[in-house]
Amino acid sequence: MSAALKEKLVRQALAEGFVACRICRPWDVPEVPERLQAFLAAGYHGQMGWMAERSHWRGDPAQLWPEARSVIMLAESYTPDEDPMAAVGMADRGAVSVYARGKDYHDLVKKRLKRLARWLIGEAQKDGDAAEVKVFVDTAPVPEKPLGQAAGLGWQGKHTNLVSRDWGNWAFLGSVFTTLELPADAPEFDHCGSCRSCLDACPTDAFPAPYQLDARRCISYLTIEYKGPVDNDLRAKMGNRIYGCDDCLAACPWNKFAVAASDIRYSAREGLVAPKLADLAALDDAGFRE
């Protein structure tokens, strides 16, 4: 039954708009605790104290929900229609990260995950099985990228993001934990080779080594998570990137296989592709949030 259910699950996930659906076990990422502790010990998490506070869960997904027996990992494409680097360097304009130009991905991905989870419960009931589920999309201490690699969605590239030979690296990740025993997929292996495109593209040298990220030098962290004055030696390197940064993602050669965004609502909203800096500077807090 589980093999047949898995086949139907993958078809349903693709019909929902996901570009890929793979399965692993919660305990299939034994390397995560050591890697996470090394990251925290080096201080690479900066002010993101929640990464240390919840490391016992992020380091071991099986602890997050001990009853779970399978993790359904899903990728949803948000490949931009326009050149993501076109605004970089424009003196009077701001560069906004591709993911933040459209509708909030948390809302879109979570709704799709919930529909898929409800469908899975219903299908399991048809076969006389009771299924419990929990859905996650970037709002809980789930190591999505290692789980994605363990499930075969892709591999963690040298920029630490997930990369796929089928859809590049422009994708959001979501997961469905379930008590169902579903056949696991084979993990994906590294296909970066000798390429350094993402590392060399970073304006602030935020990669101490391949596969390692120091958030304290990452423009995405500095413009979104960080509270306080940016170090003098980093200010000029940030250029006009005012909310996030796409340089390492845009540089990945595997994007030649990128697929169109799953949802038209990921398309950039008016005014967020190279917005005028003068207009943004005049916003009050309510205007910024809108």
Side-chain angles (χ1 to χ4, degrees), residues 159-179:
H159 54 13
T160 75
N161 294 294
L162 209 69
V163 186
S164 167
R165 292 186 292 177
D166 297 322
W167 42 261
N169 62 194
W170 298 108
F172 300 123
L173 301 179
S175 59
V176 179
F177 283 53
T178 178
T179 53

Side-chain angles (χ1 to χ4, degrees), residues 101-271:
R101 297 176 188 175
K103 186 172 175 58
D104 191 335
Y105 72 93
H106 297 91
D107 297 334
L108 298 183
V109 177
K110 179 158 280 189
K111 286 179 181 177
R112 247 184 278 280
L113 288 174
K114 287 183 175 180
R115 286 198 299 267
L116 186 65
R118 287 194 297 267
W119 175 91
L120 181 62
I121 291 172
E123 288 298 309
Q125 287 175 343
K126 292 178 183 178
D127 295 312
D129 291 323
E132 294 184 55
V133 298
K134 293 183 185 293
V135 303
F136 302 102
V137 52
D138 197 28
T139 52
V142 178
E144 292 100 341
K145 291 180 283 188
L147 285 170
Q149 180 161 350
L153 273 187
W155 71 96
Q156 278 193 267
K158 292 179 181 178
H159 54 13
T160 75
N161 294 294
L162 209 69
V163 186
S164 167
R165 292 186 292 177
D166 297 322
W167 42 261
N169 62 194
W170 298 108
F172 300 123
L173 301 179
S175 59
V176 179
F177 283 53
T178 178
T179 53
L180 288 173
E181 294 268 6
L182 296 170
D185 290 288
E188 179 60 286
F189 298 98
D190 191 301
H191 297 283
C192 287
S194 61
C195 180
R196 289 183 48 89
S197 295
C198 60
L199 306 180
D200 295 338
C202 182
T204 52
D205 298 317
F207 300 105
Y211 310 103
Q212 295 182 27
L213 172 67
D214 184 348
R216 297 169 300 182
R217 299 185 64 87
C218 176
I219 295 175
S220 286
Y221 167 80
L222 292 171
T223 57
I224 300 173
E225 299 284 353
Y226 181 65
K227 310 301 180 187
V230 175
D231 290 346
N232 288 331
D233 68 322
L234 295 177
R235 294 181 186 182
K237 296 177 180 179
M238 293 173 66
N240 67 332
R241 300 170 185 83
I242 59 169
Y243 196 90
C245 178
D246 292 316
D247 292 42
C248 64
L249 291 171
C252 182
W254 287 105
N255 284 329
K256 63 185 176 183
F257 298 113
V259 298
S262 307
D263 193 312
I264 193 173
R265 288 172 290 182
Y266 289 134
S267 296
R269 288 171 287 174
E270 184 178 356

